[in-house]
Amino acid sequence: MKWTEITIKTTTEAVEAVTNILYEQNVGGVSIEDPKDFKFQKKNEYDWDFVEEEIFNSGYDGVIIKTYITEERDVTEDINLIKEKINGLKEFGIDVGDAIVEISQVDEEDWANEWKNYYKPTKVGEKVVVKPTWEEYEAKEGDLIIELDPGMAFGTGTHETTSMCIQQLEKYVKQDSKVFDIGCGSGILAIAAAKLGANDVLAVDLDEVAVKVSKENIELNKVEDKVKALHGNLMEVVSDKADIVVANIIADIIKILAKDIKNFMKEDAVFISSGIIHAKVDEVKESLEENGLEVIEVQSLGEWNAIVSKIK
């Protein structure tokens, strides 16, 4: 299958807003290449060679955001709307930088093979190690290995937003925990929850490609007896309550989730939300608290934050 690759050159400040614009256009997964993330990761001794530096160096100092749309879809209208909305962000005082939008055609097989050059085994918590399927890794005592093939849905575990979610899951998952992963991407958080001891995990995503990739990764990690991946909105496909709800999305979506998330949480459950830039932390905290949740921790890594809350 061939895909139309949409590439946007912008700033860290605009990442969340631009990503939201892309999701509004009903695209598939979104990848974010931010040199600031890379430089921050390399400062931590527990992160080793998660990416070949020369490959990561695109020659562009700002952020590169990419998304993919199948060739069957006419993207002309999408591109025009994306450009218009990104330029409109300036009215809200958001520095969008160059705001360059480019398109090209890529073959899915070529794309997948190119991305294999990027990722190496990475320890993202005290226990969890994410190992791309094509890489060798000698497990150390106590390691919980997640075999991952991100595919078109991305989500390799190396980004700060995902790393923080895994670190929080290590803290809160207990034997027999029930976990909901909202916006599951490649399924990494759902798989991590199962590896950490949860025996009932539900991964949901609005992107059919993400659900397909999640199911493949769930089988690859032999946790299909504990984890299910469903296509759709949490409110539409779930009627149960969980001990832990995790959402690695963006601040604006978390603020929307905050209105109803209590309906899917047990009395002593925690809500782990990530993908929040510094400028949006107070907004998300306020939204959570207005909807009956108490913020119990704010974790920061690089340019990003994760907020853990519980029912008041």
Side-chain angles (χ1 to χ4, degrees):
M1 179 184 292
K2 291 189 179 296
W3 296 73
T4 299
E5 179 184 74
I6 301 175
T7 301
I8 300 165
K9 295 180 178 178
T10 185
T11 65
T12 299
E13 179 184 342
V15 164
E16 184 174 17
V18 172
T19 303
N20 198 32
I21 287 169
L22 293 175
Y23 282 128
E24 286 176 349
Q25 293 308 118
N26 215 13
V27 302
V30 173
S31 73
I32 302 167
E33 300 172 19
D34 189 343
K36 290 184 179 178
D37 291 341
F38 174 71
K39 290 170 185 174
F40 180 83
Q41 286 274 4
K42 295 297 285 185
K43 291 177 184 176
N44 292 277
E45 62 183 3
Y46 54 80
D47 290 317
W48 64 91
D49 296 333
F50 78 94
V51 62
E52 298 289 355
E53 186 168 359
E54 63 274 14
I55 296 173
F56 185 88
N57 185 6
S58 65
Y60 182 66
D61 291 334
V63 179
I64 296 177
I65 300 175
K66 294 182 181 181
T67 191
Y68 299 84
I69 298 176
T70 59
E71 64 176 347
E72 290 88 356
R73 178 169 156 185
D74 183 359
V75 299
T76 305
E77 185 177 345
D78 292 302
I79 295 298
N80 290 334
L81 274 171
I82 289 169
K83 288 180 178 178
E84 181 182 333
K85 289 183 177 181
I86 290 174
N87 285 325
L89 295 175
K90 298 174 185 176
E91 298 177 11
F92 298 96
I94 297 175
D95 176 15
V96 296
D98 295 327
I100 297 170
V101 181
E102 302 170 330
I103 62 170
S104 60
Q105 297 294 319
V106 296
D107 183 84
E108 182 169 346
E109 184 175 350
D110 292 341
W111 179 93
N113 289 332
E114 177 66 20
W115 272 78
K116 288 182 180 180
N117 293 323
Y118 278 68
Y119 295 101
K120 302 296 178 183
T122 308
K123 194 166 190 178
V124 294
E126 292 184 7
K127 303 175 184 177
V128 176
V129 176
V130 180
K131 187 187 86 64
T133 54
W134 56 89
E135 288 286 334
E136 296 294 325
Y137 175 73
E138 186 175 340
K140 298 175 178 59
E141 186 177 354
D143 283 350
L144 295 176
I145 310 296
I146 297 179
E147 293 265 355
L148 200 68
D149 186 351
M152 294 297 288
F154 320 105
T156 60
T158 59
H159 196 274
E160 285 98 327
T161 60
T162 310
S163 296
M164 287 188 288
C165 286
I166 289 176
Q167 289 163 23
Q168 293 296 337
L169 287 172
E170 286 186 341
K171 187 184 300 184
Y172 288 104
V173 171
K174 298 179 176 61
Q175 292 296 320
D176 302 332
S177 288
K178 186 180 187 69
V179 179
F180 294 159
D181 175 12
I182 308 170
C184 58
S186 61
I188 181 172
L189 297 181
I191 294 167
K195 294 271 187 177
L196 288 164
N199 70 348
D200 188 356
V201 185
L202 181 62
V204 298
D205 205 297
L206 292 171
D207 183 358
E208 290 184 4
V209 176
V211 175
K212 175 178 177 291
V213 171
S214 290
K215 288 180 177 178
E216 292 170 353
N217 286 325
I218 288 165
E219 291 183 7
L220 180 66
N221 285 277
K222 298 179 173 57
V223 291
E224 60 266 39
D225 59 327
K226 298 180 178 181
V227 187
K228 292 182 181 178
L230 297 178
H231 174 242
N233 186 298
L234 176 71
M235 286 68 174
E236 297 171 352
V237 299
V238 180
S239 58
D240 206 354
K241 294 187 178 184
D243 300 292
I244 300 165
V245 180
V246 59
N248 181 21
I249 315 180
I250 58 174
D252 288 342
I253 303 299
I254 294 167
K255 286 159 63 178
I256 294 171
L257 284 172
K259 298 175 183 177
D260 298 298
I261 202 68
K262 286 199 306 180
N263 298 329
F264 302 93
M265 297 170 62
K266 295 180 181 179
E267 188 175 340
D268 57 349
V270 293
F271 176 35
I272 302 167
S273 54
S274 187
I276 307 160
I277 60 173
H278 296 323
K280 293 278 189 175
V281 170
D282 288 341
E283 287 182 29
V284 175
K285 287 171 64 179
E286 183 178 343
S287 180
L288 292 167
E289 289 165 355
E290 284 178 351
N291 288 283
L293 293 168
E294 175 189 354
V295 174
I296 57 177
E297 183 179 354
V298 178
Q299 180 184 4
S300 298
L301 272 180
E303 304 294 315
W304 301 92
N305 299 270
I307 298 177
V308 183
S309 57
K310 64 179 183 180
I311 296 174
K312 291 181 180 177

